[in-house]
Amino acid sequence: MKTPYFTIKDIMQITGVTKRALHYYDKTDLLKPSKIESNGYRLYDQEALGNLQTILLFKEMNFSLKEIATMMKLSKDEQKEILKEHRGTLVQRKQKLETIIDQLDEYVNGTDISQLQLFDDSPIMTIQEQYESEAKFVYGDTSKYQEFETNMNRLSAQDLQKAYQQFSVNMETVFYELAKQQDRSPASTEVQQLIDQWKKQLESFMVCDPEILVCIAETYTTDRRYALYFEQFGDAYFLRFLYQAILVYVQGEGDESSLV
């Protein structure tokens, strides 16, 4: 029986690979044509087609073309050993992707970015660690930050994590209550009492003077990282309402007698 040859068009119809890819594989010696006609047409025999299918299989398994080129020179048994090792890598990636999907869902559903575990087991610092580094960079030379750092250093890692989690829950409670008062004036007694609770939560970690409180309020409204977080509490005007309420509190325009 005469050995059949396939043209590039045939190969494209059989495998779905593009003409450009076949030319690139030829140029890089990954897959050479079995035969080139006098008119320049590239032809591939059944062995070449099988090699192409193996190349496409490895490519789908997330090997680079450089890695595939090396593997194509190995025996089937040697390839299988590499594939067994590669499987472990794919399982780790699968677990990472599952974590990313879970964290994405939590973030979309309103979980604060500081509570996400996305950078665990990563050389990238966690969001909480990034926040701490950012705060130290900006406020590290202030007495207030040094006081905060001293307080944090007294806690174990486990206690610190619990403290952050409880802080997050307490803050969310305050923000939900504030959202219920959004139809009131930011200077109303009810709103200012809640702002006082907000400040007390902050002071579980550090003493907050007026300057720090204003800085936090401005960060809420200007830092895009907070935008999605605050969407869970109120409408599009909630952040502005919160900002105004904090300024009233700082300026002492609320009913201070009710806060004692």
Side-chain angles (χ1 to χ4, degrees):
M1 179 179 176
K2 184 179 179 180
T3 302
Y5 283 97
F6 304 101
T7 65
I8 285 182
K9 185 177 180 180
D10 295 333
I11 295 292
M12 291 169 61
Q13 291 178 342
I14 293 170
T15 65
V17 73
T18 66
K19 179 178 180 180
R20 181 180 180 182
L22 288 171
H23 283 181
Y24 183 76
Y25 295 165
D26 181 7
K27 180 180 178 181
T28 57
D29 295 329
L30 181 58
L31 181 72
K32 304 295 290 185
S34 306
K35 179 180 179 182
I36 299 180
E37 297 278 64
S38 58
N39 58 8
Y41 281 11
R42 294 173 171 86
L43 299 178
Y44 298 82
D45 60 17
Q46 289 181 320
E47 181 181 359
L49 176 59
N51 287 337
L52 174 60
Q53 290 166 341
T54 301
I55 289 169
L56 297 177
L57 173 66
F58 290 163
K59 192 169 181 288
E60 282 299 306
M61 291 179 178
N62 211 30
F63 285 102
S64 69
L65 291 181
K66 184 177 180 180
E67 291 170 329
I68 294 172
T70 299
M71 292 176 65
M72 294 301 292
K73 299 174 184 177
L74 304 177
S75 68
K76 292 295 182 183
D77 288 340
E78 290 173 323
Q79 288 178 355
K80 288 179 181 179
E81 288 302 313
I82 293 176
L83 291 175
K84 288 177 183 178
E85 183 177 344
H86 187 62
R87 185 183 187 281
T89 301
L90 292 179
V91 169
Q92 290 179 344
R93 289 179 182 173
K94 176 186 175 184
Q95 293 170 341
K96 180 65 173 179
L97 283 173
E98 289 174 346
T99 299
I100 291 172
I101 292 170
D102 290 341
Q103 295 297 293
L104 183 152
D105 290 339
E106 288 195 30
Y107 185 60
V108 170
N109 291 331
T111 299
D112 182 23
I113 190 172
S114 66
Q115 299 302 311
L116 299 180
Q117 307 300 315
L118 193 56
F119 296 113
D120 286 4
D121 301 321
S122 168
I124 303 297
M125 291 190 294
T126 66
I127 295 297
Q128 186 62 54
E129 289 170 335
Q130 291 179 38
Y131 277 177
E132 291 171 5
S133 295
E134 179 183 353
K136 186 168 186 176
F137 181 82
V138 177
Y139 304 112
D141 60 346
T142 67
S143 60
K144 300 298 181 184
Y145 182 85
Q146 290 164 9
E147 178 183 358
F148 162 77
E149 195 169 39
T150 298
N151 292 337
M152 293 300 96
N153 288 337
R154 292 182 182 138
L155 299 176
S156 67
Q158 184 176 8
D159 289 341
L160 186 59
Q161 184 62 29
K162 288 181 180 179
Y164 278 133
Q165 290 174 346
Q166 189 59 55
F167 173 78
S168 179
V169 170
N170 293 344
M171 277 298 197
E172 287 182 7
T173 299
V174 172
F175 291 143
Y176 277 121
E177 290 302 315
L178 277 166
K180 295 177 184 178
Q181 307 297 328
Q182 202 172 332
D183 59 338
R184 297 180 183 271
S185 165
S188 67
T189 299
E190 294 82 0
V191 172
Q192 288 300 296
Q193 286 177 332
L194 289 169
I195 295 299
D196 189 60
Q197 291 182 33
W198 168 78
K199 179 191 175 187
K200 284 183 170 62
Q201 294 303 323
L202 292 173
E203 289 187 326
S204 61
F205 291 112
M206 62 188 295
V207 176
C208 296
D209 60 18
E211 182 181 0
I212 292 292
L213 294 179
V214 171
C215 180
I216 293 173
E218 290 177 347
T219 300
Y220 283 167
T221 58
T222 59
D223 192 328
R224 294 174 60 188
R225 291 172 293 183
Y226 287 102
L228 187 59
Y229 170 72
F230 279 107
E231 282 181 4
Q232 65 184 306
F233 303 113
D235 59 26
Y237 300 100
F238 176 69
L239 260 179
R240 185 65 184 171
F241 169 77
L242 176 60
Y243 175 76
Q244 292 173 338
I246 295 172
L247 290 189
V248 169
Y249 184 90
V250 171
Q251 294 165 2
E253 295 178 1
D255 184 358
E256 295 184 2
S257 63
S258 67
L259 302 180
V260 177

